[in-house]
Amino acid sequence: MADLILATHRREAIPDLPPAVRANRAMLALDLGTTAGWALHGIDGLISSGTVSFRPGRFDGGGMRYLRFTNWLTEIDRLSGPVAAIWFEEVRRHAATDAAHVYGGLMATLTAWAELRGIPYEGVPVGTIKRHATGKGNAPKEAMIAAARARGFSPANDNEADAIAILLWALETKGGLQ
């Protein structure tokens, strides 16, 4: 399983969150893709983030990417959970057909995995995430990275920055309720 988690593990506190939000709840945010960004609000109130690659190997069958994703989710839940809620970037338009297929497969895998465990999940529109992070609903990748850095994080790329932004949106708006 260690070879699947190709991520840098950073744990950074968010001191301004109310204790009720921080207590005993692991929450996961995902930017789904072949190189997926993730951010986890642990039960200790700290945030870990990184990226993980689900690129298939040379001799892998078509479903191996999704089996690896399922195994990765299970490990995150086992090691950091239980995961209480999941938010993911809800993409409505893809530039390439292959990217759309991969996203759809990962989303189907995620939602089925969460349904089996009774974990609530929600897609968050791209514009909502960007607007919350940068003030601009069509912000470029560089602006998302800069916004994460301004909040004290060190994202390796835009996938990790997007996952951080999704998690911060979920925490600060109570999942869109505020």
Side-chain angles (χ1 to χ4, degrees), residues 20-175:
V21 173
R22 292 193 306 254
N24 299 324
R25 298 178 64 195
M27 294 176 278
L28 181 62
L30 298 169
D31 178 21
L32 299 173
T34 296
T35 301
W38 61 270
L40 179 80
H41 176 267
I43 60 174
D44 54 6
L46 300 176
I47 289 181
S48 302
S49 66
T51 61
V52 58
S53 176
F54 298 111
R55 185 169 309 284
R58 181 176 176 188
F59 302 107
D60 286 345
M64 285 306 296
R65 169 191 327 255
Y66 309 109
L67 289 175
R68 286 192 182 111
F69 182 47
T70 299
N71 289 338
W72 181 82
L73 287 168
T74 302
E75 274 297 283
I76 288 290
D77 187 56
R78 184 180 72 78
L79 295 173
S80 305
V83 172
I86 301 170
W87 289 271
F88 61 93
E89 185 177 57
E90 184 177 57
V91 180
R92 292 294 186 177
R93 197 176 95 210
H94 287 90
T97 303
D98 285 346
H101 290 191
V102 169
Y103 175 83
L106 291 171
M107 188 173 73
T109 302
L110 172 66
T111 56
W113 183 87
E115 290 284 352
L116 282 170
R117 288 156 182 81
I119 300 171
Y121 56 87
E122 180 181 351
V124 185
V126 175
T128 300
I129 298 161
K130 289 178 182 253
R131 193 172 307 104
H132 184 265
T134 69
K136 194 172 181 187
N138 62 349
K141 293 177 181 187
E142 298 78 23
M144 293 298 289
I145 293 169
R149 287 187 176 142
R151 296 288 299 265
F153 296 92
S154 302
N157 57 34
D158 62 293
N159 300 313
E160 184 176 356
D162 287 352
I164 292 166
I166 295 164
L167 183 62
L168 293 175
W169 173 86
L171 293 170
E172 292 165 6
T173 67
K174 298 190 190 314

